Amino acid sequence: MDRIIKKVKKVSGVVNLPGDRSISHRALFCASLADGVSEIFGCSDALECEATKKCIRQLGIEINGDTERIEVVGKGIDGYSKPEDTLDTENSATALAILSGLLSGFEFESEISGGAGLKKRSYKSLIDALMKMGAKIESDGGALPLKVTGTHIVGTNYSFATPSPHVKSSLLMAALKAEGETIIHETIPSRDHTERMLNHFDIPLEIYTTEDAQTGTELDRRMKRIKQKQMFQEKGSEIHLWGIGGFGPATVEIPGDVTASAPFITIGTTLKSSNVQIK
């Protein structure tokens, strides 16, 4: 398709960004596991997030509404039902990772696949990490599709030498269904969207700097974290999460996707007398 771009002297106006995709995925998954109806405002309608909605619906969860306001009717931590067909995550690596972790703890069989982009990758590191919790996942050398046989999984102690936010998210979501405590060590903290969303749903989660985790009593560490009120630390982190019996619904307001603001920032800063407000 050809497009003609005409030169302008200045621009002005208000830009409402679409919802952040990474945060939308996590809000949808947490809401689907909550015991009750959650409201999500500004959820992304990108193809990847639509794939997440479709997969969640296949697991027996009702989702109603549009991008302005969505209602997710969660059935609780044990509320998923066996899907009749393959769960197609399209090209969302986030959805693939989270589903792999979550479904490891549901006692039914499921198959997870994805689009052409995801089929080119290997998921051996994801599978190996989940198998440390007792997960049963079959694949052809780490390639899609992944065949998950849900079973009783247990907490693990896992260390990341290099950042891997997708594997971390998978382990954290699996930990909700696992027996006991899961501890995740990161030498270099990766993005913490999952931790923040779990915290938003009031799911017990504790994060320490590596330095805090190695010194002081548990009470000292907790008090220091409360005073700092920080989820992200530059010194490395240690995340503690326990298997839970359930949690309540929440209202989530998805922030705008900052990556989508790049062209508007560019034109607003390069053309004199421009005035662009980005929500």
Side-chain angles (χ1 to χ4, degrees):
M1 181 190 302
D2 293 331
R3 291 185 181 274
I4 298 175
I5 301 174
K6 296 181 179 180
K7 184 177 180 180
V8 297
K9 293 183 177 181
K10 66 177 181 179
V11 294
S12 63
V14 178
V15 180
N16 290 297
L17 298 175
D20 185 282
R21 289 173 296 173
S22 294
I23 299 175
S24 294
H25 285 298
R26 290 157 174 85
L28 288 165
F29 278 116
C30 285
S32 72
L33 294 170
D35 188 8
V37 179
S38 294
E39 292 182 300
I40 303 175
F41 293 90
C43 185
S44 171
D45 61 352
L47 292 178
E48 297 98 322
C49 295
E50 290 300 312
T52 288
K53 293 175 192 175
K54 182 180 178 181
C55 289
I56 290 173
R57 289 188 176 110
Q58 285 180 255
L59 293 165
I61 303 301
E62 184 180 344
I63 301 176
N64 302 306
D66 52 28
T67 54
E68 186 174 334
R69 178 181 176 274
I70 288 176
E71 278 191 358
V72 181
V73 186
K75 294 183 178 179
I77 196 73
D78 298 315
Y80 286 174
S81 54
K82 178 180 170 62
E84 296 181 1
D85 300 310
T86 297
L87 298 167
D88 185 356
T89 60
E90 298 289 347
N91 283 312
S92 174
T94 299
L96 175 67
I98 290 178
L99 274 174
S100 300
L102 276 179
L103 295 180
S104 294
F106 282 89
E107 296 189 359
F108 54 70
E109 294 183 354
S110 55
E111 183 173 279
I112 307 171
S113 190
L118 296 188
K119 287 179 179 177
K120 296 177 182 179
R121 306 181 190 180
S122 170
Y123 299 93
K124 190 175 185 306
S125 60
L126 173 66
I127 295 169
D128 290 345
L130 290 170
M131 288 180 69
K132 285 197 66 177
M133 303 180 83
K136 297 179 180 179
I137 303 176
E138 298 178 40
S139 69
D140 183 8
L144 294 181
L146 305 183
K147 296 180 180 179
V148 182
T149 302
T151 186
H152 177 74
I153 55 177
V154 296
T156 187
N157 195 322
Y158 195 89
S159 296
F160 287 97
T162 57
S164 182
H166 285 144
V167 176
K168 179 179 71 170
S169 292
S170 185
L171 290 172
L172 287 172
M173 297 303 281
L176 297 176
K177 294 283 293 177
E179 177 184 346
E181 181 182 12
T182 294
I183 303 174
I184 296 175
H185 306 266
E186 290 188 289
T187 304
I188 303 172
S190 58
R191 59 181 181 269
D192 60 352
H193 294 118
T194 303
E195 295 95 305
R196 289 177 181 270
M197 191 58 66
L198 293 173
N199 186 66
H200 184 75
F201 275 82
D202 290 329
I203 295 169
L205 177 79
E206 295 181 359
I207 304 176
Y208 312 115
T209 65
T210 302
E211 181 182 272
D212 290 340
Q214 295 172 347
T215 61
T217 65
E218 183 176 354
L219 178 60
D220 291 337
R221 294 195 297 268
R222 289 189 182 188
M223 291 304 297
K224 186 172 182 179
R225 176 174 174 264
I226 290 170
K227 289 177 181 178
Q228 290 177 331
K229 294 182 180 179
Q230 292 178 334
M231 296 291 291
F232 184 89
Q233 302 286 357
E234 295 180 352
K235 298 179 181 178
S237 64
E238 184 176 285
I239 308 167
H240 295 246
L241 182 61
W242 293 261
I244 57 176
F247 58 95
T251 298
V252 186
E253 295 187 12
I254 306 295
D257 188 344
V258 70
T259 58
S261 68
F264 303 104
I265 292 174
T266 301
I267 194 169
T269 54
T270 54
L271 296 181
K272 290 182 179 181
S273 302
S274 292
N275 185 352
V276 181
Q277 294 182 38
I278 303 173
K279 297 289 186 179

